[in-house]
């Protein structure tokens, strides 16, 4: 397959898809990906009617209100510009699907929690339900675009459902168009993407459908950034991209443990290796570990794919990225407990940040959740402050069965506070878990004065001025670096396993 839309063969005019002009777009799923992506499509393509639908009426009501259900810098302005003009949010799924020329499927694909592939494989029940709904409502020609993160060859499953259920005169072309958004910068990523990837079948109708979708993106994306591949390459590229990014984070986090044991500074090490143009400096920020909806889910998906293809060594390789990420969170929790004289029972510990990264209210797979779990297991009294995450989301995450087998203990041990200074009053320690910019500018002298002594500062994101904190009087612990005097000895031989 050629790269770049200018080099892709054009379908002949006799192809049904070649004469199909996209005037109406429907997006099934008003979540983070669907809501953000199709809002930008409507914003940039005012001549195209874009309807985002969801069976969750409350979510649709939120999209139609001043208080959007997700937070992303710049998204509010884009939605308010296009909403009511050519951007609509509706719970009437059937009507939007029926009138659409092109349909994005952007529904949730969570990791399976039971059955074959539990804990690794993607649960495609919402994809399947969407496919069955589309084919039952289609009377003519439509392009169906896989936008959700899916396992390789998921498009083939959609095509089989279409083929088995379509009636005479129905033509449905399936494309893969994975998203490469980073939460917190999603709008910027959509407006100025590094690439747009579109995968389709190597047929005349497949080429034509890809050209139709390419035309939408070409309203604002340069032609050379639109990459066309076969369907399977597109699906695998999404999983591979996230696996590579997560691998870099786990790699630098592994080195952070070595730095703490030797007296090296992981920030200096990351800078030194990042200046090598073969390596580059992206995703070399050591931290508590990666979170979000994509990295862990996609790696587990890749692991399951490798296992299914009888590639156990490859599966084990990628699974180690997940194991190291879990280890990093446990390791930092253990450092907190050990620093607080080996017990945190009934001690007040303030958690600064609950979102998995700054500039988003998303908490999925946030390191804060697992850190709180470890501290609750030890009986700590936690006070959580986050400038964007809603109270109910914090409580829901901490009461999840995988986090707490006793939901009542969350009510006993966790308090949510909306003022960072109030949150640390009387605390034995604060733990910075999310790199919100506001945390850099807090008055730490005021914070120190209000805390129990000795006062402990745990920086899980390496964003604070550690020397300043140390001078104030804090006992400071961070990732990949030792603050204050400590003796280091490296054994002549490694200890026995």
């Amino acid at each position: 397959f050629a790269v770049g839309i200018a080099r892709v063969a054009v379908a002949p005019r006799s192809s049904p898809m070649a004469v199909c002009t996209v005037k109406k777009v429907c997006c099934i799923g008003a979540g983070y990906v669907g809501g953000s992506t199709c809002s930008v499509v409507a914003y940039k393509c005012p001549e195209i009617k874009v309807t985002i639908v969801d069976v969750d009426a409350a979510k649709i009501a939120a999209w139609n209100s001043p208080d959007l259900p997700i937070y992303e810098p710049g998204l509010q302005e884009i939605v308010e510009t296009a909403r009511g003009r050519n951007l609509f949010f509706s719970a009437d799924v059937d009507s939007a699907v029926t009138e659409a020329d092109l349909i994005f499927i952007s529904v949730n694909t969570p990791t399976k929690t039971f059955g074959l592939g539990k804990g690794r494989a993607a649960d495609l029940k919402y994809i399947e339900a969407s496919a069955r709904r589309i084919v039952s409502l289609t009377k003519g020609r439509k392009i169906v675009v896989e936008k959700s993160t899916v396992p390789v060859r998921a498009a083939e499953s959609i095509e089989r459902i279409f083929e088995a259920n379509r009636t005479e005169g129905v033509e449905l072309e399936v494309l893969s168009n994975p998203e490469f958004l980073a939460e917190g910068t999603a709008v910027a990523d959509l407006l100025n993407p590094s690439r747009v990837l579109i995968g389709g079948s190597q047929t005349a109708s497949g080429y034509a459908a890809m050209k139709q979708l390419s035309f939408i993106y070409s309203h604002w994306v340069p032609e050379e950034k639109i990459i066309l591949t076969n369907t399977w390459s597109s699906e695998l590229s999404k999983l591979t991209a996230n696996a590579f990014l997560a691998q870099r984070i786990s790699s630098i986090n592994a080195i952070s443990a070595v730095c703490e044991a030797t007296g090296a500074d992981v920030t200096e090490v990351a800078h030194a290796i990042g200046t090598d143009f073969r390596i580059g400096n992206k995703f070399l920020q050591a931290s508590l570990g990666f979170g979000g909806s994509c990295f862990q889910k996609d790696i587990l998906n890749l692991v399951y794919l490798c296992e299914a293809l009888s590639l156990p060594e490859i599966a084990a390789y990628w699974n180690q990225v997940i194991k190291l990420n879990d280890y990093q969170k446990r390791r930092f929790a253990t450092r907190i407990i050990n620093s607080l004289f080996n017990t945190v029972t009934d001690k007040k510990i303030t958690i600064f940040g609950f979102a998995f990264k700054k500039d988003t209210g998303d908490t999925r797979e946030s390191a804060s959740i697992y850190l709180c779990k470890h501290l609750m297991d030890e009986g700590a009294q936690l006070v959580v402050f986050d400038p964007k995450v809603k109270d109910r989301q914090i409580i829901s995450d901490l009461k999840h069965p995988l986090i707490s087998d006793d939901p009542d203990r969350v009510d006993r041990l966790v308090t949510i506070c909306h003022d960072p200074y109030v949150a640390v009053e009387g605390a034995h320690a604060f733990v910075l878990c999310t790199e919100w910019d506001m945390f850099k500018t807090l008055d730490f002298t005021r914070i120190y004065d209000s805390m129990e002594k000795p006062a402990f500062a745990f920086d899980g994101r390496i964003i604070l001025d550690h020397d300043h904190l140390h001078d104030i009087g804090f006992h400071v612990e961070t990732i990949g670096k030792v603050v204050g005097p400590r003796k280091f000895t490296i054994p002549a031989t490694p200890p026995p396993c």
Side-chain angles (χ1 to χ4, degrees):
F1 236 70
V3 175
I5 63 173
R7 296 171 55 195
V8 174
V10 178
R13 290 294 297 176
S14 58
S15 167
M17 287 295 173
V19 297
C20 172
T21 301
V22 176
K23 296 180 179 178
K24 295 180 179 179
V25 169
C26 169
C27 176
I28 301 177
Y32 177 85
V33 173
S36 301
T37 301
C38 288
S39 292
V40 170
V41 169
Y43 177 73
K44 286 293 188 177
C45 306
E47 79 281 9
I48 297 176
K49 179 183 178 182
V50 179
T51 305
I52 302 173
V53 297
D54 202 290
V55 295
D56 187 342
K59 184 180 291 183
I60 292 298
W63 278 108
N64 282 316
S65 75
D67 186 19
L68 301 186
I70 62 173
Y71 171 74
E72 273 293 328
L75 182 60
Q76 185 87 30
E77 294 78 5
I78 282 178
V79 170
E80 290 177 353
T81 299
R83 189 172 56 195
R85 180 193 68 185
N86 67 317
L87 173 63
F88 304 91
F89 298 92
S90 173
D92 187 355
V93 179
D94 289 358
S95 295
V97 169
T98 300
E99 73 172 16
D101 305 309
L102 183 146
I103 302 168
F104 287 103
I105 298 179
S106 188
V107 295
N108 194 19
T109 53
T111 302
K112 291 182 70 173
T113 57
F114 61 90
L116 188 65
K118 172 185 176 182
R120 301 185 307 284
D123 187 343
L124 300 182
K125 62 183 178 182
Y126 301 119
I127 293 281
E128 180 179 344
S130 298
R132 292 185 182 278
R133 195 166 196 166
I134 290 168
V135 72
S136 71
L137 295 168
T138 299
K139 301 301 181 184
R141 307 182 183 103
K142 295 186 190 297
I143 300 170
V144 179
V145 183
E146 215 179 43
K147 198 66 181 174
S148 303
T149 299
V150 293
V152 179
R153 304 199 78 88
E156 185 176 51
S157 300
I158 296 173
E159 289 173 344
R160 289 177 62 188
I161 291 171
F162 287 166
E163 184 61 29
N165 292 277
R166 70 183 180 90
T167 55
E168 186 177 354
V170 171
E171 295 184 28
L172 291 160
E173 192 69 35
V174 180
L175 302 179
S176 168
N177 177 218
E179 54 84 16
F180 296 98
L181 307 181
E183 296 197 41
T185 60
V187 171
D189 294 340
L190 286 164
L191 293 175
N192 186 27
S194 60
R195 77 284 200 198
V196 171
L197 182 59
I198 302 172
S201 63
Q202 300 182 63
T203 63
S205 60
Y207 286 127
M210 286 191 285
K211 292 286 285 185
Q212 291 289 332
L213 183 55
S214 298
F215 172 74
I216 292 176
Y217 284 113
S218 68
H219 281 66
W220 74 96
V221 180
E223 202 172 83
E224 62 272 14
K225 288 188 176 183
I226 300 177
I227 303 172
L228 305 186
T229 71
N230 71 51
T231 309
W232 327 128
S233 295
S234 176
E235 291 177 334
L236 184 57
S237 294
K238 166 63 175 176
L239 299 183
T240 304
N242 280 341
F244 270 56
L245 294 175
Q247 178 196 50
R248 285 175 68 91
I249 296 172
S250 282
S251 294
I252 197 63
N253 281 343
I255 297 302
S256 74
V258 179
C259 289
E260 292 163 24
T262 60
D265 184 334
V266 72
T267 304
E268 296 176 347
V269 173
H271 175 70
I273 65 174
T275 56
D276 186 329
F277 71 91
R278 297 169 301 173
I279 298 173
N281 60 3
K282 303 297 184 183
F283 283 79
L284 290 180
Q285 176 68 37
S287 67
L288 284 173
F290 57 77
S293 63
C294 291
F295 282 3
Q296 178 159 311
K297 182 180 72 172
D298 288 357
I299 294 176
L300 291 172
N301 202 333
L302 184 59
V303 169
Y304 183 69
L305 173 67
C306 294
E307 291 173 345
L309 296 173
S310 300
L311 299 170
E313 293 83 2
I314 310 302
Y317 174 84
W318 288 112
N319 196 48
Q320 192 61 34
V321 174
I322 298 291
K323 287 184 175 180
L324 206 144
N325 194 53
D326 293 340
Y327 166 73
Q328 184 77 344
K329 290 175 280 194
R330 288 196 312 272
R331 191 171 73 85
F332 200 62
T334 299
R335 285 181 65 190
I336 294 170
I337 296 166
N338 289 343
S339 296
L340 291 172
F341 314 110
N342 208 34
T343 179
V344 294
T345 303
D346 293 328
K347 291 180 179 178
K348 179 178 177 179
I349 299 176
T350 301
I351 306 297
F352 277 156
F354 202 80
F356 86 91
K357 63 183 288 189
K358 72 174 184 177
D359 294 333
T360 180
D362 195 344
T363 63
R364 287 175 289 181
E365 295 299 329
S366 172
S368 298
I369 298 173
Y370 297 95
L371 188 75
C372 288
K373 168 185 164 50
H374 295 311
L375 295 176
M376 286 193 297
D377 288 345
E378 297 290 329
Q381 294 284 337
L382 304 180
V383 180
V384 181
F385 168 80
D386 188 284
K388 286 296 178 182
V389 180
K390 299 184 185 302
D391 295 9
R392 63 179 179 272
Q393 186 64 54
I394 295 172
I395 297 301
S396 175
D397 287 338
L398 295 180
K399 286 188 174 181
H400 192 281
L402 294 178
I403 301 300
S404 180
D405 53 11
D406 176 16
D408 291 338
R409 79 169 184 172
V410 177
D411 297 326
R412 296 192 307 270
L413 297 177
V414 178
T415 303
I416 300 172
C417 189
H418 301 107
D419 184 318
Y421 295 106
V422 175
V424 294
E425 289 178 357
H428 291 261
F430 72 78
V431 185
L432 194 150
C433 297
T434 309
E435 70 279 20
W436 288 103
D437 290 337
M438 67 170 296
F439 293 144
K440 301 177 186 178
T441 60
L442 292 176
D443 184 343
F444 286 102
T445 299
R446 174 182 171 184
I447 287 174
Y448 177 81
D449 291 340
S450 71
M451 293 174 64
E452 292 285 339
K453 307 298 185 298
F456 291 81
F458 297 94
D459 182 3
R461 294 290 177 176
I462 326 180
I463 65 168
L464 302 180
D465 185 336
H466 302 136
D467 291 335
H468 176 61
L469 292 175
H470 187 265
D471 291 342
I472 290 172
F474 282 103
H475 177 96
V476 182
E477 295 284 342
T478 189
I479 300 286
K481 171 183 171 182
V482 175
V483 181
R486 186 185 297 180
K487 293 182 179 179
F488 300 91
T489 58
I490 300 177
T493 59
C497 296

